[in-house]
Amino acid sequence: MDISVPPIIDLEASGFGRGSYPIEVGFALEDRMVHSFLIKPAPTWLHWSVEAELIHGISREQLQEEGMTPREVALKMNEILRGKTLYSDAWSFDSSWMGRLFDEAELVQRFRIETINKLLTAEQMEAWHDTKKSLWHTMNIERHRAANDVQVLQETFLRVTASTV
C-alpha cells in the first residue's frame, strides 16, 4: 500500500519567546524534495539567544554571509508553495515565525501551515515522539537544521501511519 506523505515545514529561530524571529526555514514536499533557506535578520531583528545558537549551530555571522533577505525567502516560498497546506509538529512556534517573516517582507503568505496532529489519530500521536527519537538515532544526521528536521518528520509520519493502518 502506498501511503502519501504530507508536505512538512520546520523553522529554526533566533531564540524562543518575545522578539525571536526565523533564521532558517526548511520544507519537504509530497515528492520528498527538500528546500531550505537561511534568513538574513532584518535590521530591526535584534534578539539573539546564545542558547539557541548552541542548539542549531547557526551564527548571526553565517546568516549575514549566507542568508537571503526575508523578502527573498518569502517570495521564493510563495512561488514554490502557492495554495499548499504544509504541516508542522511545532505549529504555534512555526506559524508565529512565518508570520514575522511575511510581515517583514510586506507580502501575503500564499500557503497555509497546520499542525501535523490534524492528520494523526490519537494512537499515532502517542507514537510520534518515540518514533521521531528513534529515527534521529538511526538516521544519524544533524538535528535542529530545518532541512534535516523535515526529512525526519516526514519519515516519522510514514512510520507512525504505517504501523497503525
Side-chain angles (χ1 to χ4, degrees):
M1 181 171 86
D2 186 32
I3 297 174
S4 65
V5 60
I8 302 282
I9 190 165
D10 183 65
L11 285 91
E12 299 301 329
S14 64
F16 290 97
R18 197 172 197 79
S20 65
Y21 51 86
I23 62 167
E24 184 180 44
V25 61
F27 50 92
L29 301 175
E30 299 90 335
D31 62 4
R32 318 269 317 248
M33 174 70 74
V34 174
H35 300 266
S36 176
F37 306 105
L38 288 174
I39 304 163
K40 186 181 294 196
T44 57
W45 292 359
L46 303 175
H47 175 277
W48 192 258
S49 164
V50 174
E51 294 82 8
E53 183 178 341
L54 290 171
I55 293 169
H56 52 61
I58 303 167
S59 69
R60 277 186 73 92
E61 294 74 26
Q62 182 181 1
L63 295 173
Q64 290 300 331
E65 291 171 18
E66 301 172 27
M68 296 166 58
T69 67
R71 186 169 181 85
E72 290 169 331
V73 173
L75 285 167
K76 198 83 168 142
M77 291 183 76
N78 272 347
E79 177 188 324
I80 298 168
L81 302 174
R82 181 177 300 272
K84 290 189 180 293
T85 298
L86 290 93
Y87 295 89
S88 165
D89 76 336
W91 178 82
S92 61
F93 287 116
D94 288 348
S95 15
S96 170
W97 290 322
M98 191 55 56
R100 185 117 195 237
L101 176 77
F102 275 83
D103 283 349
E104 180 62 36
E106 298 181 329
L107 292 169
V108 173
Q109 183 179 315
R110 301 290 182 191
F111 55 92
R112 294 180 32 190
I113 300 175
E114 293 284 353
T115 176
I116 193 79
N117 297 352
K118 287 192 169 197
L119 302 178
L120 303 172
T121 66
E123 183 183 348
Q124 291 165 342
M125 284 170 37
E126 285 176 23
W128 184 267
H129 178 75
D130 289 342
T131 304
K132 183 170 73 170
K133 188 176 176 183
S134 168
L135 281 167
W136 276 119
H137 182 71
T138 58
M139 291 174 78
N140 195 27
I141 57 176
E142 183 183 358
R143 291 180 67 174
H144 301 295
R145 289 302 304 262
N148 294 344
D149 290 1
V150 294
Q151 291 175 68
V152 170
L153 294 172
Q154 274 192 333
E155 191 59 35
T156 302
F157 179 85
L158 288 172
R159 301 261 176 113
V160 301
T161 54
S163 66
T164 56
V165 172

